[in-house]
């Protein structure tokens, strides 16, 4: 039982219905997002590493450079000198560190899975996730992006947009589940069917909302498809901010 006397399973079911209502409204407004934009799972993994702290347009330039030099496959990337990688991925920013991260990732892939993403993804989800989190330069968001978008595994990706939107929907930025990446990831995964397609689209739609509507400083609440579901707006925080 919860402190309010509501059985936990009842609360989880109600919150799951709420999350699905949010999802349906976002899908109705923005439509399918078609994530992740890449031709191969390995390209997705490379993009997930390169997109750390940089706009996607710059990542596309770095990926195009790697492809033009035949480096968008594990063995070629493993053999490439770090200095050459750094120069090619310069548009993605932090290029020396990201070159090291790419090298660490492919070194792990060959050491543990003979260079095969398929072998990595064939493992149980949490085991594959623990392995990725043990690779230098790969944090939870990058690991989950690789597992979901490259591997098609049912893990939920949490980013700054997710945290911002959920804190406003609940109108409580200090809520315990918002303080920790894994807690917010579990919040979604314990309340939704473990469907990779759903998790894929849901995360992409949250990004679309966060970029264009539920912005950090001046949220456009009057134009938000979640207006009737959002406690932040309902309690007077949203429209007042948007009007300034």
């Amino acid at each position: 039982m919860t402190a309010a006397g509501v059985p936990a399973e009842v609360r989880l079911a109600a919150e799951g219905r709420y999350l699905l209502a949010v999802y349906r409204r976002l899908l109705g407004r923005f439509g399918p997002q078609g994530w992740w934009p890449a031709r191969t799972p390995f390209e997705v993994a490379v993009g997930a590493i390169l997109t750390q702290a940089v706009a996607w347009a710059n990542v596309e330039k770095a990926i195009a450079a790697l492809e033009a030099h035949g480096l968008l496959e594990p063995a070629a990337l493993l053999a490439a000198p770090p200095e050459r990688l750094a120069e090619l991925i310069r548009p993605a920013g932090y290029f020396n560190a990201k070159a090291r991260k790419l090298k660490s990732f492919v070194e792990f892939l060959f050491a543990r899975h003979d260079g095969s993403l398929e072998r990595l993804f064939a493992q149980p989800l949490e085991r594959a996730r623990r392995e990725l989190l043990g690779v230098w330069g790969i944090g939870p968001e990058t690991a989950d992006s690789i597992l979901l978008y490259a591997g098609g595994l049912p893990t939920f990706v949490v980013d700054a947009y997710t945290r911002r939107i959920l804190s406003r929907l609940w109108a409580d930025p200090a809520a315990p589940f918002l303080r920790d990446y894994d807690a917010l990831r579990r919040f979604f995964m314990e309340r939704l069917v473990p469907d990779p397609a759903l998790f894929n689209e849901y995360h992409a739609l949250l990004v679309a909302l966060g970029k264009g509507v539920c912005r950090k400083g001046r949220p456009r609440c009057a134009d938000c498809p979640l207006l009737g579901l959002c406690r932040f707006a309902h309690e007077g925080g949203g429209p007042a901010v948007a009007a300034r």
Side-chain angles (χ1 to χ4, degrees):
M1 302 287 283
T2 66
V6 179
E9 61 271 20
V10 174
R11 175 178 55 81
L12 288 173
E15 291 173 350
R17 289 192 295 272
Y18 175 82
L19 289 176
L20 285 175
V22 168
Y23 172 77
R24 285 192 290 268
R25 289 202 184 188
L26 292 176
L27 187 62
R29 164 64 70 87
F30 298 109
Q33 298 297 293
W35 276 30
W36 185 293
R39 285 180 285 275
T40 67
F42 186 70
E43 183 179 333
V44 173
V46 169
I49 293 170
L50 293 180
T51 198
Q52 297 172 8
V54 70
W56 181 252
N58 292 330
V59 174
E60 288 181 319
K61 295 175 184 176
I63 287 176
L66 291 174
E67 183 176 30
H69 289 80
L71 297 179
L72 268 185
E73 64 93 13
L77 199 57
L78 180 68
E83 300 80 9
R84 186 184 184 210
L85 281 182
E87 185 59 34
L88 291 173
I89 65 172
R90 182 179 288 268
Y94 306 100
F95 46 89
N96 288 319
K98 288 183 179 180
R100 286 182 59 204
K101 292 177 183 182
L102 288 175
K103 293 291 283 187
S104 293
F105 174 64
V106 292
E107 286 167 1
F108 148 77
L109 199 60
F110 277 91
R112 297 295 295 269
H113 300 288
D114 198 27
S116 171
L117 279 176
E118 290 77 10
R119 294 187 185 183
L120 169 65
F121 299 145
Q123 300 179 105
L125 169 62
E126 293 303 325
R127 181 187 301 170
R129 189 171 188 265
R130 283 194 301 272
E131 287 191 1
L132 283 174
L133 290 175
V135 178
W136 184 85
I138 294 184
E141 183 181 341
T142 302
D144 288 325
S145 294
I146 292 171
L147 293 167
L148 175 64
Y149 291 113
L153 298 177
T155 187
F156 203 91
V157 178
V158 172
D159 58 17
Y161 298 117
T162 311
R163 187 171 288 103
R164 180 196 311 156
I165 293 166
L166 263 290
S167 70
R168 287 172 174 170
L169 290 175
W170 257 254
D172 181 9
F177 73 94
L178 293 168
R179 299 174 186 171
D180 173 76
Y181 181 99
D182 286 327
L184 188 47
R185 173 179 176 259
R186 288 194 303 272
F187 185 83
F188 282 92
M189 294 178 66
E190 290 174 353
R191 290 160 178 79
L192 297 171
V193 175
D195 178 1
L198 172 63
F199 290 175
N200 178 321
E201 197 66 69
Y202 209 140
H203 174 242
L205 289 166
L206 288 173
V207 172
L209 182 73
K211 283 185 174 181
V213 180
C214 195
R215 298 180 296 192
K216 184 176 181 179
R218 293 170 57 88
R220 297 168 51 209
C221 296
D223 190 41
C224 182
L226 306 182
L227 185 60
L229 298 174
C230 181
R231 295 182 185 178
F232 176 74
H234 178 71
E235 294 175 4
V241 172
R244 288 203 296 267

